Amino acid sequence: MSPGSLVLVILLAPLTAVAGCQLVRSPRFAEYLNLAASVFVFAAVLWLLPVALGGPYILLRGYIIVDALGAWVLLSCSAVYLLASLYAIGYMRARNEPQRLHRFYALLAGFALTILLGPLMNNIGVYWIAIEFTTLISTFLVGFEKTREGVEAAWKYIVIVSAGISLALLGIVFYYWNASLHLGPSFNLTWATLRFVAPQLNPTMALTAFLLVFIGFGTKVGLAPMHTWLPDAHSEGPAPVSAMLSGALLNTAMVGIVRFIHVTDAVRLGGLPRTVVVVIGALSLAAAALFITRQTDIKRLMAYSSVEHMGVMTLGFGFGGPLGLAGALYHMLNHSLNKSLMFFGSGTAMHAFHSKRIGRIHHVLIAMPVAGALWLAGAIAITGAPPFALFLSELTILRAGLAGPNAWAVYVMLVLLVVIFVGFLNHFRAMYFGESAQAAAATVRWRPTSSERIWCLLPMWLALVPILVMGLWWPSAFTHYFNVIAAQLDRG
Amino acid sequence: MFAAHIPPLAGSLFSLLAIVSLLLAFVMLGSRWLNAYLGAFALQSWLIAVLSAAVAYYGGYPELYGIAALTALFRGLVLPYLLLRITRRLDVDRELHERLSPSASLVVGALLVVFAFVVATHLSTALGLGGTIAVLALTAMLSMKLIGFLMLVVRREVVSQILALLVIENGIFLGSQILVPGMPLLIEMVILFDLLVVVACFGVLVRYLIAHAGTTSSRELRRLVG
């Protein structure tokens, strides 16, 4: 199939799901329709991956770009969408609110649609609009539980992210203004145009504009110190939504930052922009380390872990070079899968113990033997321990950093990763062991039906197996893919 | 660049509109009354609509007439009306718990304008446009942005926070009309931002109010910490 028809499938499948869920207001129909859409999207993205190697393809009069970077990000986003759709069936059934389910799935599919749009956008203005749309739809998912905390989280989310993203708009206007001095008053600001005009841009202006877009989209990525909306939004939405926010949405915003970093490389600015990126990445790791060690709430613990991993990725993209880029992109996929697993585990634990507080969760392995074991394996993986894939990608990023001019950040990163490893797993020690086992068994209130159990466990297996396999074996096809991405980015 | 070669009359008209818009941002900053904010915001939006029309006329960008009409309609009439209805229904007419008194925030706002002017001069000189209207446009743009952020920080009524976001965006809009009038998609971005704000008002805010009638201060929104 041509890239055009694949893109059409990727965008039409969730759109059909949105329409179908709203028209047929049946909960069963809605959950299977959404699941079917996510399967279609995932299959189309798998097909798109080899096609994109021959790119970049420019479609729809220059509005859509299909390149290897976009396809790779789509892979991690669509994988999370598929896993979240599977998990949502079991999780939402157990919440026992069938009358609101069709609305939930319509919003979920709509959210997926806006996420999948981002990496495909070729016009920078339209990319900004796509990011803005993700905020619009996910606000309702964050506030879906209609609790006081949910509304508070939704409010903070919309205010902080809109304020942040307005900085990105200012940066885009600056880029356009500077480019218009060379290209005439009216032109389409695409990634390729900006890359083409970059050597002529004024360095002062280009640096200001880069800082603005970096801070702006960095707010959406959840980089410290603009991360404050993230733990609230991620902890208050239902578990499948948290997984989508963390594993898919953040990646979509990260694409823009990666493309802007590579555009800025072409401006005569030296190493300053990349150093700024590295500093912010290290700062995110530091902020995450502080909050992870003192956390009392499981979902906020996972959310701060997202801040950490976005920091790690930012460090990888900031270090740059073939190794840094490869490590960060590998990390993106690994983190998406792993963080979905973690949020699914916390969702199941929340159902089982009726609490998000770490202090109220004991002897997880007795309460939920299989899900508990998977969750524990995921926790070991997400702290970057071997033999899981995140160990490999973090090691690659460390190696990339040592070769570059910002080697100090490697040591900072190492220390903070150790702190996070200890702090994160300490919470799991408290939840898996300690106090008396009988008391724990008595506090369990959720006895899932067998269908709920299967829908909740299947996505956890599907997330864990790939990160284990990819931890033992880095396919050479991936290396080739990352090299193509690097080549396409630098060609513009 | 368009703004570097405009007739003097147009130049003074643009300057006047930019400066008055900036002054209106100060009116919002220096007042405690929500009605004063709303009035100042509506007037500011009307001025920006006039600016769009003027740029369309002098620069020959016919699509900006459409933007002018939409700005006047949406930001000048619909949004202020909707916000006014919220304040009426909630019976809040003034900001009670601001972090910084209006007079102190005026002083901080003035400092922010000085900072914006320094940055604007620096950037315009770097582009070889020092001494043109670009400096003024850039100063107004950055100042309104900073004043919007200041309002976001020191104000606690949710209506004031929404207005602060809108002021931030009015600033970008005002500046980009003069600096990059030919930028495609400007109109889509503006409408989208309005849409977002409407969603914020009527999705989140109203839901919040249904759940906890009586308070509209974001001071109460402080359960999620750490």
Side-chain angles (χ1 to χ4, degrees):
Chain A
M1 279 209 276
S2 73
S5 40
L6 286 169
V7 167
L8 207 60
V9 173
I10 292 173
L11 298 182
L12 274 186
L15 199 63
T16 319
V18 174
C21 292
Q22 283 295 352
L23 287 176
V24 185
R25 298 171 163 245
S26 141
R28 286 290 167 277
F29 177 76
E31 60 195 21
Y32 290 125
L33 183 64
N34 178 57
L35 181 62
S38 68
V39 171
F40 268 105
V41 170
F42 187 64
V45 169
L46 282 185
W47 202 327
L48 190 69
L49 277 174
V51 175
L53 282 177
Y57 300 100
I58 308 293
L59 312 167
L60 206 78
R61 286 187 291 161
Y63 280 108
I64 287 184
I65 184 170
V66 179
D67 64 348
L69 174 68
W72 182 261
V73 177
L74 283 182
L75 173 68
S76 54
C77 295
S78 59
V80 174
Y81 178 37
L82 176 62
L83 293 174
S85 300
L86 282 168
Y87 185 77
I89 295 180
Y91 182 85
M92 296 308 281
R93 276 185 195 173
R95 290 190 60 228
N96 224 350
E97 274 187 331
Q99 70 284 2
R100 291 177 73 206
L101 273 187
H102 67 275
R103 223 181 131 237
F104 174 78
Y105 284 107
L107 280 170
L108 192 70
F111 185 33
L113 175 67
T114 56
I115 287 175
L116 296 167
L117 270 175
L120 290 170
M121 291 299 110
N122 190 29
N123 189 306
I124 300 177
V126 188
Y127 173 71
W128 187 86
I129 292 176
I131 298 289
E132 190 76 79
F133 266 122
T134 59
T135 316
L136 264 173
I137 296 191
S138 50
T139 304
F140 289 104
L141 284 168
V142 169
F144 191 77
E145 311 253 12
K146 286 199 172 158
T147 56
R148 187 186 166 125
E149 285 83 3
V151 177
E152 173 178 343
W155 179 256
K156 282 186 187 168
Y157 177 45
I158 201 161
V159 169
I160 295 176
V161 171
S162 320
I165 208 100
S166 74
L167 285 173
L169 180 58
L170 185 63
I172 294 172
V173 168
F174 279 5
Y175 272 121
Y176 191 94
W177 182 31
N178 198 346
S180 74
L181 300 179
H182 303 282
L183 298 176
S186 208
F187 59 93
N188 276 327
L189 189 66
T190 63
W191 299 108
T193 322
L194 194 59
R195 181 70 176 67
F196 165 76
V197 78
Q200 300 165 43
L201 293 184
N202 179 284
T204 317
M205 197 68 197
L207 184 63
T208 316
F210 174 72
L211 291 181
L212 286 169
V213 292
F214 180 56
I215 299 292
F217 290 123
T219 309
K220 192 81 193 185
V221 173
L223 298 175
M226 298 83 71
H227 66 283
T228 46
W229 63 273
L230 193 145
D232 299 349
H234 287 213
S235 64
E236 292 310 316
V241 175
S242 311
M244 291 274 284
L245 282 167
S246 186
L249 173 68
L250 304 184
N251 295 346
T252 296
M254 189 62 106
V255 179
I257 292 184
V258 178
R259 295 200 204 262
F260 273 118
I261 289 177
H262 282 262
V263 164
T264 309
D265 277 347
V267 186
R268 296 156 286 132
L269 274 173
L272 186 58
R274 279 186 182 268
T275 307
V276 172
V277 174
V278 167
V279 168
I280 294 286
L283 198 63
S284 308
L285 265 173
L290 292 177
F291 283 100
I292 280 175
T293 41
R294 301 204 40 175
Q295 200 43 255
T296 56
D297 176 313
I298 42 171
K299 287 189 82 180
R300 294 179 80 82
L301 181 67
M302 303 311 155
Y304 278 110
S305 161
S306 294
V307 176
E308 173 215 341
H309 286 283
M310 287 301 135
V312 170
M313 262 178 248
T314 310
L315 280 172
F317 289 126
F319 291 148
L323 214 52
L325 191 68
L329 288 169
Y330 200 46
H331 199 73
M332 183 184 278
L333 179 64
N334 299 337
H335 169 254
S336 292
L337 293 171
N338 202 338
K339 191 47 64 63
S340 308
L341 170 62
M342 297 314 288
F343 273 117
F344 299 159
S346 13
T348 310
M350 271 170 66
H351 271 327
F353 292 90
H354 273 241
S355 175
K356 287 192 282 190
R357 298 188 66 81
I358 292 169
R360 300 237 178 98
I361 299 176
H362 299 292
H363 292 275
V364 176
L365 281 176
I366 298 172
M368 33 187 244
V370 185
L374 290 168
W375 197 30
L376 185 61
I380 292 167
I382 204 131
T383 47
F388 295 101
L390 283 92
F391 172 73
L392 270 189
S393 46
E394 282 176 0
L395 195 68
T396 315
I397 292 172
L398 288 170
R399 279 175 56 204
L402 280 178
N406 292 311
W408 58 269
V410 172
Y411 303 106
V412 175
M413 178 177 161
L414 262 177
V415 172
L416 290 171
L417 282 179
V418 171
V419 172
I420 290 170
F421 177 79
V422 175
F424 197 90
L425 287 182
N426 186 39
H427 295 304
F428 274 75
R429 180 196 57 73
M431 286 191 288
Y432 278 72
F433 309 103
E435 296 197 22
S436 73
Q438 287 84 6
T443 55
V444 174
R445 310 221 189 109
W446 184 50
R447 300 279 167 222
T449 62
S450 59
S451 79
E452 284 169 10
R453 187 193 296 277
I454 290 170
W455 286 119
C456 285
L457 284 180
L458 179 67
M460 294 179 78
W461 279 110
L462 287 180
L464 183 67
V465 171
I467 38 180
L468 181 60
V469 172
M470 292 194 304
L472 299 169
W473 170 59
W474 179 311
S476 59
F478 283 7
T479 313
H480 174 61
Y481 211 86
F482 298 144
N483 288 336
V484 173
I485 290 178
Q488 285 185 358
L489 275 175
D490 289 332
R491 206 169 351 130
Chain B
M1 195 193 113
F2 150 73
H5 322 280
I6 43 172
L9 181 65
S12 12
L13 181 62
F14 294 170
S15 315
L16 184 69
L17 289 168
I19 291 170
V20 177
S21 304
L22 186 55
L23 277 179
L24 284 169
F26 273 96
V27 171
M28 298 171 83
L29 198 59
S31 167
R32 271 207 178 93
W33 299 91
L34 293 180
N35 280 350
Y37 297 172
L38 280 171
F41 171 73
L43 190 56
Q44 196 181 49
S45 307
W46 278 94
L47 288 179
I48 291 176
V50 174
L51 180 71
S52 301
V55 173
Y57 179 73
Y58 285 106
Y61 294 97
E63 68 273 15
L64 284 183
Y65 284 119
I67 297 193
L70 277 171
T71 313
L73 183 71
F74 264 107
R75 310 169 67 80
L77 288 176
V78 177
L79 276 178
Y81 170 71
L82 291 174
L83 288 170
L84 188 69
R85 241 183 40 176
I86 292 191
T87 54
R88 288 263 167 81
R89 206 167 68 198
L90 298 169
D91 221 18
V92 279
D93 52 358
R94 65 195 211 112
E95 182 75 55
L96 283 175
H97 303 287
E98 70 276 80
R99 265 165 236 225
L100 206 60
S101 72
S103 43
S105 28
L106 280 179
V107 174
V108 179
L111 292 177
L112 292 177
V113 174
V114 172
F115 174 68
F117 177 70
V118 172
V119 174
T121 318
H122 189 66
L123 286 178
S124 314
T125 316
L127 287 183
L129 292 167
T132 63
I133 194 173
V135 182
L136 181 69
L138 210 51
T139 309
M141 185 175 185
L142 294 173
S143 323
M144 278 165 75
K145 186 138 196 132
L146 292 170
I147 288 174
F149 275 117
L150 180 65
M151 282 170 65
L152 214 48
V153 173
V154 300
R155 297 285 156 87
R156 274 164 168 169
E157 280 297 330
V158 280
V159 176
S160 338
Q161 292 192 342
I162 294 174
L163 278 175
L165 280 178
L166 286 169
V167 168
I168 289 178
E169 203 245 349
N170 260 359
I172 298 183
F173 196 37
L174 179 137
S176 51
Q177 302 269 306
I178 300 179
L179 297 178
V180 288
M183 188 169 175
L185 296 166
L186 207 60
I187 184 164
E188 288 86 343
M189 289 189 182
V190 174
I191 291 171
L192 195 78
F193 203 91
D194 287 345
L195 199 67
L196 187 81
V197 172
V198 172
V199 168
C201 304
F202 303 103
V204 182
L205 181 62
V206 173
R207 211 187 279 184
Y208 173 67
L209 296 174
I210 290 169
H212 321 278
T215 172
T216 45
S217 170
S218 58
R219 214 158 62 120
E220 307 294 325
L221 298 175
R222 49 167 35 164
R223 286 216 187 165
L224 299 171
V225 286

